[in-house]
Amino acid sequence: MGFFDKVFKSEKENKGGNESAKNTAFTPVVVTTDDVAQTLHDTALKYKISSQTLDIRLLSLKTLIKMTKKEEEWTQLEEGEWEKFNKPEILLSPEFQVKQEYELEIFRYKEEPWKSDLILHIGSNKEKNRVVCTIKAGSIVRKTENLKSKIKNMILAKMLRSRILVRLWDVNYDTAIDDLIAKALVQDQYIVPEDITFDICVCYASQKPVNDELILHYKNKNEASEEGDRVDYSKRGFIQAVEKGEVVIEYIKPQPGKPGRNCQGAHISVPEPLEKFKPEFRVSEMIEVEEDETKIIYRAKKGGYVVFKENTYDINDSMELSEVSFKKTGSIDAGVETEVKLHINETDYMKDAIGTGVEVEATEVKVEGNVGASAVVTAEEVVIGGQTHQTSKIFAKTAKINVQRGYVKTAEDLQVTRLEGGIAEAKKIKISQAIGGEAKAIEVQVDLLASNAKIYAVSGITVNKMVGENNKLIIDAAEIDAYHNEIVSLEEKIAEIEKELSKLEEQQAQKKSIVQKSEAAVNTLKKRIAEAHKKGIKPQPAFVAKIRQFQKLENDLSEMAVKIAAAKQSLKETRMKLMAYQEMVVNAKIVNRGEWREYTDIEFHLLCPQITLQYTPKPGEKNQQIYLKKIEEGDEVNYEIAVKEAGKE
């Protein structure tokens, strides 16, 4: 129900007066008023009836204005004179006043068939600067004489009851009414399927002022909250990091609002904007200032973390900490792209420089001591001077780690002083000493290899000295993360193409068999059809149908041949892509410049076909290179593991 209809009810509700009111005699009266609602109330009270049982008809109206509040007398406008005053510069002035006086006929509401089921409301927004009419779903618009005029008069009466000034800011809503009437005229009556709403009066909306505001963007971005509004207390924003060009602080200047005027003629005033946060701080040369009429932007000239000291904001790019722990700092999420360099200088081997469960992310992370359990470090460059816990994780572009017991993965080079049961993945790995653990890279070099290590590579593995047993040296491109997904995808595609090709070839063979068996019979039919044509006889339809079936088989075979050729070409191209990875395996070398020890296993994993070639070196033999030797037998190419002295071709 609309705002005003809550007070004045709808026309349908108006007809619901009590029985005693219906039976009370009431003689129509003509009155002059500037408040229709109040006049109706007073009239109903006088006659001891409900105002809902009364109806009105507008006979005439006057529009009166005052240009200033000092004017004592109202000025009546002549017809057509209003447009001179219907301007923002006049209407938005708090001095200007406007009202209307109406000559009305008040009479008893009379129920009529055309409006008995027409549910029509008017309503407004909070400021009442916009008034709309709604014809509710389920309303019945019935055909009757002067229907448009009657509906418009109904709307006008509701506007007057609601103290809306009329014919000043009215909106032309003829199109909406005409559409309804057209449907009612065609069908005698029209049931409205859904609410129809349209503007009937629009004046000037106010615009709220903008109070000043200081937004610390660098702090807001570090507010750590998770799904369900659960706060992650490990992320307390110890460092507020920003990237180059990022907005650090923003000051919204106070901006005045704009007054309005509503459809009842009342001026809508707005308060002055508040100014509480005008910047009194300074900024260093690392922060540039951009200012316009509405705001001041403070933007980072370089990446780093924000520092506020002696009333000055600055950006630094390096920080020294004694430790990073849940208790002292919480996790540090400076971001890899921010140029923040962290130096954590705790060296006590009995303590963790990066504590249990803490996450650290920055451009560079240098840790003098240990990385604790379940800790995660992410950076462009990582240096760990102590040891990593077996449940820790390191992600970097390049890294140097003293003792690796957890998981580390780098996009480029990785140097490990001692690998102790941990996992290391990189593009290129150099390990001084491996005591168990697993290493995966395109190329791996181990200075001293003890026992129980697994080393995977693509182009080569070099061991300078082997002192332990039970090691596995494996050349397998599919085990290297950089190639794994592509290799799996190619292998799946090959299997898919081979399956489809087999299906096509099987269908082709079946159709060829049918063609061969039918060829003689079809040729006979063709001769009979030709003879019939010579004699001027129409050939039998069954003969023609058989010929067409045979021709379709031949067309199917032609199309199938094209599909098979395309599948074979696709298979060839996909295998060639896979063979490019196989070439790396074929050209790979495993070199042991020292002496082979017991239970050393060597494997080369070919991709096309998928074959694993294995070799066990003889303990005691020295300075050997293990490689694949190509064996060609006609068109067939095979490989076998070969051994030669390292350093000699």
Side-chain angles (χ1 to χ4, degrees), residues 223-249:
E223 288 182 356
S225 62
E226 299 179 349
E227 278 188 46
D229 295 325
R230 292 186 308 156
V231 177
D232 183 353
Y233 291 102
S234 74
K235 298 180 179 179
R236 300 195 294 274
F238 183 78
I239 290 179
Q240 283 91 30
V242 292
E243 297 180 25
K244 180 180 179 181
E246 187 176 331
V247 175
V248 180
I249 302 169

Side-chain angles (χ1 to χ4, degrees), residues 518-534:
S518 304
E519 194 167 11
V522 168
N523 288 334
T524 301
L525 288 177
K526 284 180 179 179
K527 288 179 182 179
R528 290 186 180 183
I529 290 170
E531 289 172 358
H533 280 307
K534 285 181 181 179

Side-chain angles (χ1 to χ4, degrees), residues 339-367:
E339 301 177 35
V340 172
K341 302 171 185 175
L342 297 179
H343 184 187
I344 305 163
N345 51 35
E346 175 62 71
T347 57
D348 188 339
Y349 75 94
M350 296 296 290
K351 297 180 180 179
D352 290 332
I354 296 180
T356 299
V358 174
E359 297 181 14
V360 177
E361 184 172 334
T363 301
E364 292 182 18
V365 178
K366 184 177 181 181
V367 184

Side-chain angles (χ1 to χ4, degrees), residues 496-512:
E496 184 181 327
I497 295 171
E498 286 178 337
K499 184 178 178 181
E500 180 63 22
L501 186 58
S502 175
K503 183 179 175 182
L504 286 170
E505 287 176 338
E506 184 179 343
Q507 291 174 350
Q508 184 188 48
Q510 289 173 353
K511 289 183 184 290
K512 275 185 177 180

Side-chain angles (χ1 to χ4, degrees), residues 399-548:
K400 293 181 181 179
I401 300 175
N402 184 29
V403 179
Q404 171 60 17
R405 291 176 173 172
Y407 175 82
V408 60
K409 182 177 181 178
T410 69
E412 299 295 336
D413 293 351
L414 170 62
Q415 294 183 37
V416 177
T417 303
R418 189 162 75 249
L419 180 65
E420 288 188 4
I423 298 173
E425 295 185 22
K427 187 174 182 180
K428 185 176 181 180
I429 300 177
K430 185 174 181 180
I431 303 170
S432 298
Q433 185 179 3
I435 305 172
E438 191 173 289
K440 295 181 179 183
I442 295 173
E443 182 180 346
V444 181
Q445 180 181 325
V446 182
D447 289 338
L448 182 67
L449 181 60
S451 301
N452 302 313
K454 276 187 180 181
I455 300 174
Y456 296 87
V458 181
S459 63
I461 299 170
T462 300
V463 178
N464 289 326
K465 186 176 182 181
M466 184 178 289
V467 295
E469 302 173 346
N470 197 34
N471 293 299
K472 292 182 179 294
L473 309 180
I474 303 165
I475 300 297
D476 186 356
E479 279 290 335
I480 308 307
D481 188 63
Y483 304 139
H484 175 77
N485 289 342
E486 176 68 11
I487 289 171
V488 170
S489 177
L490 289 170
E491 288 174 342
E492 288 176 350
K493 188 175 180 181
I494 287 171
E496 184 181 327
I497 295 171
E498 286 178 337
K499 184 178 178 181
E500 180 63 22
L501 186 58
S502 175
K503 183 179 175 182
L504 286 170
E505 287 176 338
E506 184 179 343
Q507 291 174 350
Q508 184 188 48
Q510 289 173 353
K511 289 183 184 290
K512 275 185 177 180
S513 175
I514 294 170
V515 167
Q516 289 170 357
K517 291 176 181 177
S518 304
E519 194 167 11
V522 168
N523 288 334
T524 301
L525 288 177
K526 284 180 179 179
K527 288 179 182 179
R528 290 186 180 183
I529 290 170
E531 289 172 358
H533 280 307
K534 285 181 181 179
K535 295 176 181 178
I537 302 171
K538 187 177 180 180
Q540 292 185 31
F543 292 176
V544 175
K546 289 290 184 183
I547 297 296
R548 286 177 179 170

Side-chain angles (χ1 to χ4, degrees), residues 24 65 76 86 88 119 201 242 257 300 341 362 390 421 458 501 531 564 568 586 592 595 602 615 646:
T24 304
I65 65 166
Q76 181 180 336
N86 191 19
I119 309 169
C201 185
V242 292
K341 302 171 185 175
Q390 62 185 8
V458 181
L501 186 58
E531 289 172 358
I564 289 171
K568 286 181 176 179
V586 167
N592 181 8
E595 183 178 309
I602 289 176
Y615 176 74

